[in-house]
Amino acid sequence: GDSVTQMEGPVTLSEEAFLTINCTYTATGYPSLFWYVQYPGEGLQLLLKATKADDKGSNKGFEATYRKETTSFHLEKGSVQVSDSAVYFCALYTGTASKLTFGTGTRLQVTL
Amino acid sequence: NAGVTQTPKFRVLKTGQSMTLLCAQDMNHEYMYWYRQDPGMGLRLIHYSVGEGTTAKGEVPDGYNVSRLKKQNFLLGLESAAPSQTSVYFCASSYYTGVETEAFFGQGTRLTVV
């Protein structure tokens, strides 16, 4: 079945550091890929998405590129801020399954 | 724009009690989902629905039942609550055009079973 593997957290960075959170997937069919963010005490919000190979999703300085050859969708940001502290979830969706499959989430903590 | 609304937001149950969690969406989405979130486990799919009157089991369906009598509502029932069902429950709804999709989440229900 479909699955998503994310790097274990927590990830602790200083403000303005470079961020990478790794995500790889296994899917039957051709999935759409997503990064969701969850701030403390809140639900999940879509951060960015990509629907086909080599697409780059971007939002709020975050980027991720859909790499079909390596089945990956790594999240990056060039300079993190304290306000980026949250839990980040990688997810995939295939039309045949009609459901979102999530990774376990990676907690990011950014300090001054 | 209400989006996805979950009620209640918090609840404490005694073992063996029953309850129903309500999810309502106002975006006319076909697909609706119930997830539970536990530390270190991410989000695990309990049940989902691909349209009014349909339901399907997800990854962890045991101990839960669902109903989708109206397109805008998706109910999650616990018939006999157990401490293992202590969790944060999230409802989501989504659309799928054949190419594009996006899911929208409620704010969550924190359930404690004692």
Side-chain angles (χ1 to χ4, degrees):
Chain A
D2 298 343
S3 66
V4 176
T5 302
Q6 288 182 237
M7 61 187 290
E8 292 283 333
V11 174
T12 302
L13 295 173
S14 298
E15 199 169 48
E16 299 183 1
F18 184 85
L19 169 71
T20 299
I21 301 178
N22 290 337
C23 171
T24 57
Y25 67 90
T26 302
T28 53
Y30 203 172
S32 295
L33 301 174
F34 306 84
W35 278 101
Y36 279 84
V37 59
Q38 184 181 33
Y39 298 103
E42 298 185 10
L44 278 71
Q45 305 172 24
L46 179 65
L47 181 60
L48 55 83
K49 65 180 180 181
T51 56
K52 60 182 186 296
D54 299 325
D55 269 1
K56 178 184 283 188
S58 61
N59 186 25
K60 300 181 181 179
F62 291 90
E63 294 182 341
T65 301
Y66 190 144
R67 300 290 188 197
K68 189 169 186 291
E69 65 276 12
T70 55
T71 61
S72 65
F73 193 55
H74 305 320
L75 183 68
E76 296 181 336
K77 187 175 187 183
S79 177
V80 294
Q81 305 300 310
V82 172
S83 57
D84 293 327
S85 298
V87 181
Y88 292 82
F89 291 92
C90 185
L92 68 82
Y93 181 93
T94 57
T96 50
S98 300
K99 56 186 178 180
L100 269 174
T101 300
F102 285 88
T104 54
T106 302
R107 182 175 299 278
L108 170 66
Q109 185 166 353
V110 181
T111 59
L112 290 171
Chain B
N1 268 352
V4 179
T5 303
Q6 291 182 233
T7 51
K9 291 185 170 45
F10 303 93
R11 185 73 186 269
V12 178
L13 285 180
K14 293 183 178 179
T15 298
Q17 286 185 319
S18 63
M19 79 164 294
T20 300
L21 282 67
L22 172 63
C23 177
Q25 54 99 359
D26 62 1
M27 295 171 283
N28 202 34
H29 289 166
E30 290 294 335
Y31 305 111
M32 297 188 74
Y33 312 85
W34 277 107
Y35 291 90
R36 59 177 289 173
Q37 183 179 26
D38 303 292
M41 306 289 287
L43 273 79
R44 293 183 292 169
L45 184 64
I46 304 171
H47 287 282
Y48 64 105
S49 169
V50 299
E52 181 179 313
T54 74
T55 62
K57 293 181 180 179
E59 184 185 351
V60 288
D62 294 342
Y64 305 95
N65 56 74
V66 287
S67 65
R68 182 103 182 263
L69 299 179
K70 293 183 178 180
K71 187 176 184 178
Q72 64 267 33
N73 296 335
F74 195 30
L75 279 63
L76 178 70
L78 285 73
E79 288 189 350
S80 179
S84 60
Q85 294 177 304
T86 293
S87 187
V88 180
Y89 292 84
F90 286 100
C91 176
S93 71
S94 72
Y95 65 88
Y96 179 57
T97 66
V99 176
E100 289 285 327
T101 185
E102 183 175 342
F104 297 79
F105 283 80
Q107 292 297 297
T109 297
R110 185 173 295 276
L111 175 66
T112 303
V113 182
V114 298

